[in-house]
Amino acid sequence: MEHYNMNLTLKVWRQKNKEDKGGFQTFQVKDISSEMSFLEMLDILNEQLINEGKDAIAFDHDCREGICGTCSLYINGKPHGEWKGNTTCQLHMRAFKDGETITIEPWRANAFPVIKDLVVDRSSFDRIIQAGGYVSVNTGNAMDGNCLPIDKNRADDSFAAAMCIGCGACVAACKNSSAMLFVSAKVSHLALLPQGEPEKRSRVMNMIAQMDKEGFGACTNTGACEATCPKEISLSNISRLNKEYLFASLTADK
Amino acid sequence: MTWKEVFTSSVGKKLVMSFTGIFLILFLVVHVGLNACIWANDGGTMFNAGAHFMGNNVVPRILEIGLFVGLLLHIIQGIMLELSNRSKRNVKYAIDYGNQGSKWYSRSMGLLGTLILIFLVIHLADFWIPNRAHQGFLLGEEINLYEKMKLEFSELWVVIVYTLGCLSLGYHLAHGFQSAFRTIGVHNKRYNLMLTSLGYGFSVVVTFAFIMMPWSFFLHIIQ
Ligand code: SF4
Ligand code: FES
């Protein structure tokens, strides 16, 4: 596609801190290249704000190559913007037209409170992982691949689930603010492999207990999460989690 | 993990919705099947015989108690889930996420459920309560249920209320059927596809059959 420049109106959520009520502020940006990334466009706006002696807009980012899960942003009604299977940092300005108005909001969920502007506190995800998203045996050095036979399909499903980067877009898109797609990706990723198998029952129980404690909602299988997930994590992982949970509760010791 | 912990967790609550939902789906099969006897067009002989059996045989009477327990659980848990899920996002988005990846009815199960509940109260007051009151205890003499249907469904507004009630049920089932199986852990893609298709088919056929009943009387398709 031809390269082009554009002028845009940005409606950005500004909020000083957790307690502040916050509200939208409107900004104009000029001569934005279609080849820029969305975050580079925000960098330009921030440079502009700093030069004017104003407070820069706070937003999360780290790798800027779609692998770390740090970037967020709810852009024009969709987490990570309208491109499918894509993160905000990999959203490019050619997704927009000259003269467009773009509305940028933070993830909205009580379990993800806003820290400042567009930055939300996602440490609830970390605590869910701490509750069981790991293998606790000391595995030493990596084994020779051929010593550990794993069904190819299981390995593939596990790998697909392991793609989850913990960005929280699934929560942001869900009408129930449920974290089930994220938790199910972690549960599936480990339960499908022999290393994760021994702890699979306690893992699913503990992670769900923590998810509930953090104030995420219950899943009602609408499918909104799957459609927005940058790593296209499958909804069938949620069903797998349900199966693991049912199995774990039926075979619990007490 | 105690049972209490299981059934108060978010997944456990969904399991209750799912088990009771599947039980209610099975009930619908019986209900629609039995009611279809009106189309024998024999002046209600076959239908009334079925209704008599359901009211006087001990097995359906016991199942009926189970049905009410299941129904109550489904309603109470459903309302609690809906309220709890709604409380998880205090600040709403300025721009709605809309239909991306999900159908409107999958996001409106609480609303559809409430409409069905309202319809159910009307429906039970119309038929079930007077019928059971006359069967055996209280008022003696069994009601001719077929004649009662004929009378009820001679009024257009009643027919319209029933049509709307059944449509709510249809959309509730269109999501509920497949969701119930996902919740009990069916994760195989092929099974899910089959169950989703079966769910859509079931919702359409059952809803259509139920809707046709009042209309059949109203339009004098059956006598
Ligand atoms: S499941 Fe997808 S949307 Fe959810 S945290 Fe993982 S990568 Fe992000
Ligand atoms: S900044 Fe790392 S995924 Fe976007």
Side-chain angles (χ1 to χ4, degrees), chain A residues 106-118:
Chain A
W107 285 175
R108 297 282 188 208
N110 297 353
F112 285 164
V114 172
I115 299 171
K116 188 176 186 216
D117 298 338
L118 302 167

Side-chain angles (χ1 to χ4, degrees), chain A residues 209-241:
Chain A
Q210 191 63 32
M211 178 186 101
D212 292 346
K213 209 162 112 193
E214 296 292 347
F216 293 102
C219 171
T220 55
N221 298 320
T222 68
C225 52
E226 186 185 38
T228 210
C229 172
K231 298 299 158 185
E232 303 184 304
I233 299 294
S234 163
L235 205 58
S236 62
N237 286 306
I238 295 187
S239 312
R240 186 182 286 105
L241 179 151

Side-chain angles (χ1 to χ4, degrees), chain B residues 80-194:
Chain B
M80 279 166 47
L81 256 177
E82 178 76 15
L83 291 179
S84 147
N85 279 344
R86 277 174 188 239
S87 72
K88 305 296 187 196
R89 178 174 289 139
N90 292 345
V91 185
K92 307 277 176 254
Y93 289 113
I95 300 185
D96 194 51
Y97 180 69
N99 286 330
Q100 305 173 78
S102 70
K103 302 280 193 319
W104 70 268
Y105 49 84
S106 76
R107 302 193 308 274
S108 315
M109 293 300 273
L111 173 72
L112 291 167
T114 311
L115 291 176
I116 298 169
L117 181 58
I118 295 170
F119 168 69
L120 206 62
V121 172
I122 300 174
H123 179 51
L124 289 182
D126 275 351
F127 295 104
W128 187 81
I129 294 175
N131 185 39
R132 284 288 182 272
H134 283 266
Q135 270 169 338
F137 67 110
L138 286 180
L139 310 167
E141 195 73 0
E142 200 168 338
I143 290 182
N144 185 334
L145 214 54
Y146 188 80
E147 290 303 321
K148 178 123 180 71
M149 275 175 98
K150 215 181 204 174
L151 189 72
E152 287 281 339
F153 298 141
S154 61
E155 299 253 19
L156 181 62
W157 72 269
V158 178
V159 175
I160 291 176
V161 167
Y162 272 71
T163 306
L164 295 177
C166 293
L167 277 178
S168 312
L169 176 68
Y171 279 110
H172 197 75
L173 282 172
H175 177 67
F177 192 102
Q178 50 134 335
S179 179
F181 288 99
R182 285 179 184 278
T183 300
I184 54 171
V186 179
H187 60 81
N188 175 298
K189 287 221 171 75
R190 199 168 281 181
Y191 283 159
N192 266 331
L193 187 68
M194 284 190 316

Side-chain angles (χ1 to χ4, degrees), chain A residues 111 124-125 127-129 131 171 177-184 204-219 241, chain B residues 9-11 88:
Chain A
S124 44
F125 266 18
R127 289 186 292 272
I128 294 176
I129 295 291
V171 177
S177 307
S178 175
M180 276 288 266
L181 195 64
F182 164 75
V183 179
S184 72
V204 69
M205 287 291 182
N206 295 339
M207 288 180 85
I208 288 295
Q210 191 63 32
M211 178 186 101
D212 292 346
K213 209 162 112 193
E214 296 292 347
F216 293 102
C219 171
L241 179 151
Chain B
S9 77
S10 59
V11 179
K88 305 296 187 196

Side-chain angles (χ1 to χ4, degrees), chain A residues 118-172:
Chain A
L118 302 167
V119 178
V120 298
D121 179 355
R122 282 173 282 185
S123 54
S124 44
F125 266 18
D126 300 337
R127 289 186 292 272
I128 294 176
I129 295 291
Q130 282 160 13
Y134 50 79
V135 173
S136 51
V137 284
N138 186 350
T139 51
N141 285 339
M143 236 190 198
D144 185 284
N146 294 329
C147 295
L148 204 60
I150 303 170
D151 171 15
K152 173 83 167 85
N153 292 326
R154 282 177 86 91
D156 286 351
D157 284 349
S158 168
F159 194 78
M163 295 275 284
C164 166
I165 51 177
C167 63
C170 42
V171 177

